[in-house]
Amino acid sequence: MLGWALTFLVIAIIAGVLGFGGVAVVSAEIAQMIFFVFIVLFAVAMIARAVRGRPPL
């Protein structure tokens, strides 16, 4: 999932450099949304792991 966020970030940067403002904004928003979903899922996984008795990474 983090790979997808980085992919959309690269697309946004390339589109911004080439002058495609609309595409850059949409790609940046998608990258940001996917990144936050990744962070939330990572936190949930770490909490679930700690609750089961295993130490967090």
Side-chain angles (χ1 to χ4, degrees), residues 1-56:
M1 185 173 294
L2 191 57
W4 281 103
L6 292 174
T7 302
F8 278 107
L9 178 63
V10 169
I11 291 171
I13 291 170
I14 292 172
V17 168
L18 294 177
F20 299 107
V23 175
V25 170
V26 171
S27 295
E29 288 177 0
I30 291 172
Q32 185 178 16
M33 183 174 44
I34 292 173
F35 179 74
F36 285 127
V37 169
F38 169 78
I39 293 295
V40 169
L41 290 177
F42 180 74
V44 168
M46 289 296 105
I47 291 169
R49 184 177 175 97
V51 167
R52 282 190 266 156
R54 300 180 191 163

